[in-house]
């Protein structure tokens, strides 16, 4: 009798163990079934078409991904040409910007190096501007001297020598040329400052 009870208890344990494993097996089977096996789309008359692969029509109309039991796993919306074209423009702009950013990083390395390059460039231009101002001062000093000489001839009622008039004419032309050079250098200074400010700002965002 005792032996029979032991056998019955053992059988019950086996049965209970088998039942405890059943949900795990069921879950494993369910996980396998949730893989997309079929793809379904609906035509203009709402008639479904099911296949094992995704065709251009599926993409154009949007489709349902189904498991092996034909149960819905997820939906894919219809392909929107206009929206994709908008995104294509955005992707192209982003790609161009990325190339520019890479070029900036190769050329200027980092913010500190770009700042140093900016300071050196502006110092060089400022030095040229200073030199042009010094030249202008000298030209204006010379002009005052030439005008004083011309005034003396006029007061003495004497004709102004041709070489003095030539000096005055050349002096005036040089003053105009130097003034233009100063204005051009100032414009270059402003452009370079703006150029480097943009580079530094961009590099700060890329850090």
């Amino acid at each position: 009798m005792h032996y029979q009870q032991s056998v019955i208890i053992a059988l019950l344990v086996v049965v209970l163990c088998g039942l405890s494993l059943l949900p795990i097996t069921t879950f494993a089977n369910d996980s396998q079934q949730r893989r997309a096996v079929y793809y379904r789309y609906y035509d203009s008359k709402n008639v479904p078409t099911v296949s094992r692969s995704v065709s251009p029509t599926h993409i154009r109309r949007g489709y349902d991904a189904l498991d092996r039991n034909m149960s819905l796993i997820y939906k894919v919306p219809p392909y929107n040409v206009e929206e994709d074209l908008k995104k294509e423009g955005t992707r192209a702009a982003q790609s161009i910007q990325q190339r520019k950013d890479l070029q900036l990083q190769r050329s200027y390395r980092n913010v500190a190096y770009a700042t140093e390059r900016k300071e050196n460039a502006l110092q060089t231009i400022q030095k040229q501007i200073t030199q042009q101002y010094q030249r202008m001062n000298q030209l204006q000093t010379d002009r005052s001297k030439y005008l004083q000489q011309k005034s003396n001839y006029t007061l003495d009622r004497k004709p102004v020598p041709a070489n003095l008039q030539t000096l005055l004419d050349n002096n005036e032309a040089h003053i105009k040329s130097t003034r233009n050079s100063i204005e051009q250098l100032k414009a270059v200074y402003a452009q370079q400052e703006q150029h480097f400010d943009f580079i530094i700002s961009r590099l700060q965002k890329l850090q």
Side-chain angles (χ1 to χ4, degrees):
M1 182 69 179
H2 179 73
Y3 174 77
Q4 291 177 342
Q5 290 178 346
S6 299
V7 172
I8 293 172
I9 292 172
L11 289 172
L12 288 173
V13 170
V14 171
V15 171
L16 290 173
C17 289
L19 290 174
S20 67
L21 292 174
L22 182 59
I24 298 176
T25 304
T26 302
F27 177 79
N29 291 336
D30 183 67
S31 176
Q32 293 175 353
Q33 291 174 354
R34 298 307 288 176
R35 291 199 299 267
V37 177
Y38 302 103
Y39 304 93
R40 175 182 62 202
Y41 72 87
Y42 293 87
D43 62 16
S44 58
K45 296 180 180 180
N46 205 33
V47 176
T49 298
V50 178
S51 66
R52 287 184 171 273
S53 61
V54 177
S55 68
T57 306
H58 285 75
I59 297 173
R60 186 172 63 255
R61 292 186 176 277
Y63 60 91
D64 301 331
L66 311 174
D67 61 21
R68 67 178 63 184
N69 293 325
M70 301 295 289
S71 297
L72 178 66
I73 302 176
Y74 59 85
K75 286 180 172 289
V76 176
Y79 171 70
N80 189 316
V81 177
E82 294 181 358
E83 187 66 24
D84 187 67
L85 289 175
K86 291 179 181 179
K87 291 181 180 178
E88 180 63 27
T90 301
R91 288 193 293 267
Q94 290 174 344
S95 177
I96 292 173
Q97 187 61 58
Q98 287 174 352
R99 289 198 297 271
K100 289 182 178 179
D101 289 341
L102 288 174
Q103 182 62 41
L104 279 180
Q105 290 175 321
R106 284 195 295 267
S107 300
Y108 297 97
R109 305 176 191 171
N110 51 48
V111 172
Y113 182 73
T115 302
E116 181 182 355
R117 289 279 299 274
K118 172 188 174 182
E119 292 174 353
N120 291 339
L122 295 183
Q123 286 175 1
T124 299
I125 299 171
Q126 184 58 53
K127 186 176 181 180
Q128 293 173 353
I129 292 174
T130 301
Q131 290 173 345
Q132 290 300 312
Y133 270 119
Q134 291 173 347
R135 184 167 187 261
M136 175 68 77
N137 290 335
Q138 183 60 50
L139 288 168
Q140 289 175 339
T141 299
D142 291 343
R143 186 166 188 80
S144 296
K145 182 177 65 176
Y146 299 149
L147 288 173
Q148 181 63 44
Q149 293 177 7
K150 181 178 181 180
S151 176
N152 292 336
Y153 281 106
T154 302
L155 289 173
D156 293 341
R157 298 173 181 264
K158 294 179 180 180
V160 177
N163 64 331
L164 178 58
Q165 187 60 51
T166 299
L167 288 173
L168 280 168
D169 293 341
N170 290 339
N171 176 268
E172 182 180 4
H174 290 324
I175 287 176
K176 289 181 180 179
S177 174
T178 303
R179 185 178 292 114
N180 289 336
S181 295
I182 291 173
E183 294 303 318
Q184 291 173 0
L185 285 169
K186 286 182 177 180
V188 172
Y189 186 100
Q191 291 172 356
Q192 286 294 298
E193 187 173 33
Q194 184 178 10
H195 171 70
F196 278 103
D197 284 345
F198 171 79
I199 291 172
I200 292 170
S201 174
R202 193 65 198 165
L203 289 172
Q204 287 173 338
K205 293 179 180 179
L206 295 174
Q207 287 183 341

